[in-house]
Amino acid sequence: MRLPQARLDQVLDRFHQVEARMGAATDGAEIVRLSKEHAELKPVADAVQALARARAEVEDLKAMAADPEMAVLAADELDALIERLPELEREVALLLAPRDADENASAVLEVRAGTGGDEAALFAGDLFRMYSRYASTRGWRVEIDSATEGDAGGFKEIIATVSGEGVFGRLKFESGVHRVQRVPTTEAGGRIHTSAATVAVLPEVEDVEIEILDKDIRIDTFRASGSGGQHVNKTDSAVRITHLPTGIVATSSEKSQHVNRDKAMKNLRIRLYDMQRQAKDAARSDARKSQVGSGDRSERIRTYNFPQGRVTDHRIGLTLHSLPQILEGDLAPLLDALIAEDQAARLADLEAEFA
């Protein structure tokens, strides 16, 4: 993709404006805003400048190649640089392409048992363990907010906050219905059963500006149970907040009821913000049906087939015969493929914009 020079100049001009303004700003709020914009623009500006230097060097080497005495010396360097140019242009294009504003945010991870009874709860537990192990390999922190255990193990529902750089950008593709095919431990006849669990990944955005009126919420206290709630079994300290206009429910089961109210309100804001995101995603996906990252959470996105040891992601038609490793947290091959597909779609959008 040949990027228009005017677009590249626009990026550099804005970057230099922000830098100049940062040096003169005295208002605290403005300094914070400019610092954030500077941090977002710097990787783009650096990549644009690297591309400009490479393009200029190509012209210099072409001029050298026209000189018989310098031709041999310039030829090898010129060939190598011309080969490298498309990759530099792709890096800039990806940075310029429309991207998720919440890419670098931490996330709230929700895993719920679906159809399949006890087996679905066990599978939900397997999925949560898979994500926890993957988070560990990335240096992310996982904190359980609330959990309801299944009767035979696993979880009917588990909600956790995953904190770290770029959590949402990598895990957002996990939202949807995950299906498992395997022989349950309780199945005497050896028959393969199919069950499912749903996963939702919500961005945990700082300072979410969502107005919640007192008249629009109902706050209930209840006795927590199961993993994450044993310490409050004797007191009604867990908190459930229901947002009446939307029916969205947020809960927290820490020891302190005061902490729970604050945490549940924060979670409610996250869910309301995510509802707005989903509406925008739906509008975008109407225009681009191939989008893999929009999160229709009723969509079956992946199947884990134990008898054949394979995992299939239905959105991109990818099958990997490494189910044990994936369940141990080796999600990178799946997530990298999904991210590559999303990048290709974003580049296509950018190319259409410049057409």
Side-chain angles (χ1 to χ4, degrees):
M1 182 189 303
R2 182 72 182 184
L3 298 167
Q5 189 59 45
R7 181 73 175 91
L8 303 182
D9 291 342
Q10 184 183 36
V11 171
L12 290 178
D13 287 346
R14 181 57 188 166
F15 179 67
H16 293 141
Q17 287 172 15
V18 170
E19 277 199 323
R21 184 60 194 154
M22 282 178 67
T26 56
D27 178 69
E30 185 183 13
I31 291 171
V32 169
R33 181 182 60 78
L34 289 169
S35 297
K36 183 178 180 182
E37 186 177 0
H38 184 271
E40 291 173 352
L41 283 173
K42 190 173 190 316
V44 193
D46 288 347
V48 169
Q49 288 170 333
L51 176 60
R53 287 193 297 269
R55 285 177 173 176
E57 193 174 347
V58 164
E59 296 306 314
D60 291 343
L61 288 169
K62 283 180 178 178
M64 286 176 62
D67 184 340
E69 294 184 7
M70 305 293 290
V72 175
L73 181 65
D76 289 343
E77 286 187 50
L78 182 59
D79 289 344
L81 193 55
I82 288 175
E83 279 187 25
R84 186 165 166 256
L85 269 180
E87 183 56 33
L88 289 173
E89 290 178 342
R90 186 177 186 277
E91 287 177 16
V92 173
L94 277 174
L95 289 166
L96 289 176
R99 62 193 294 268
D100 198 318
D102 302 321
E103 197 83 9
N104 292 322
S106 296
V108 173
L109 170 68
E110 304 179 347
V111 184
R112 294 182 174 86
T115 55
D118 288 343
E119 175 62 15
L122 290 169
F123 179 48
D126 292 339
L127 288 177
F128 183 74
R129 178 174 173 272
M130 175 183 76
Y131 292 126
S132 297
R133 295 213 163 193
Y134 177 68
S136 179
T137 67
R138 304 281 301 186
W140 299 336
R141 187 175 78 253
V142 178
E143 180 185 359
I144 296 175
D145 295 327
S146 66
T148 304
E149 293 179 351
D151 296 335
F155 298 100
K156 293 180 181 177
E157 174 186 275
I158 183 163
I159 301 171
T161 300
V162 185
S163 305
E165 183 70 18
V167 175
F168 182 72
R170 288 196 70 80
L171 291 187
K172 65 181 179 179
F173 302 106
E174 295 301 290
S175 289
V177 178
H178 296 241
R179 184 178 67 169
V180 64
Q181 295 172 326
R182 64 183 174 189
V183 179
T185 54
T186 55
E187 172 55 60
R191 291 176 301 172
I192 297 172
H193 285 226
T194 298
S195 55
T198 60
V199 174
V201 180
L202 293 64
E204 187 186 47
V205 184
E206 296 295 327
D207 303 322
V208 176
E209 294 184 5
I210 299 288
E211 184 181 13
I212 300 176
L213 303 177
D214 289 343
K215 67 181 180 65
D216 288 341
I217 59 174
R218 184 180 70 243
I219 301 176
D220 301 306
T221 58
F222 62 99
R223 185 166 299 174
S225 63
S227 177
Q230 299 95 325
H231 51 275
V232 291
N233 281 343
K234 295 181 181 178
T235 60
D236 293 332
S237 66
V239 170
R240 175 173 51 240
I241 300 179
T242 304
H243 187 248
L244 301 175
T246 63
I248 293 174
V249 176
T251 61
S252 182
S253 306
E254 300 291 333
K255 291 181 181 179
S256 162
Q257 191 173 115
H258 178 73
V259 169
N260 284 334
R261 284 174 68 99
D262 290 344
K263 202 164 188 177
M265 281 298 293
K266 178 183 177 183
N267 287 341
L268 178 59
R269 285 190 173 89
I270 288 171
R271 281 156 178 73
L272 290 170
Y273 174 77
D274 184 64
M275 184 178 70
Q276 294 178 0
R277 279 181 51 87
Q278 286 189 65
K280 291 178 183 177
D281 285 343
R284 281 200 300 266
S285 62
D286 282 344
R288 190 179 81 199
K289 295 297 184 184
S290 61
Q291 183 171 339
V292 298
S294 61
D296 178 357
R297 289 170 192 162
S298 64
E299 177 191 4
R300 188 192 71 193
I301 63 168
R302 193 175 296 150
T303 296
Y304 303 73
N305 185 295
F306 275 70
Q308 298 179 21
R310 61 174 168 82
V311 175
T312 298
D313 195 288
H314 304 291
R315 294 164 294 180
I316 55 175
L318 175 66
T319 295
L320 299 174
H321 294 274
S322 53
L323 185 147
Q325 294 92 324
I326 289 170
L327 288 177
E328 286 298 315
D330 186 16
L331 278 172
L334 277 169
L335 298 183
D336 289 346
L338 288 161
I339 289 169
E341 183 78 10
D342 185 60
Q343 287 177 344
R346 290 194 291 120
L347 286 175
D349 283 351
L350 187 67
E351 198 163 14
E353 179 187 330
F354 292 151

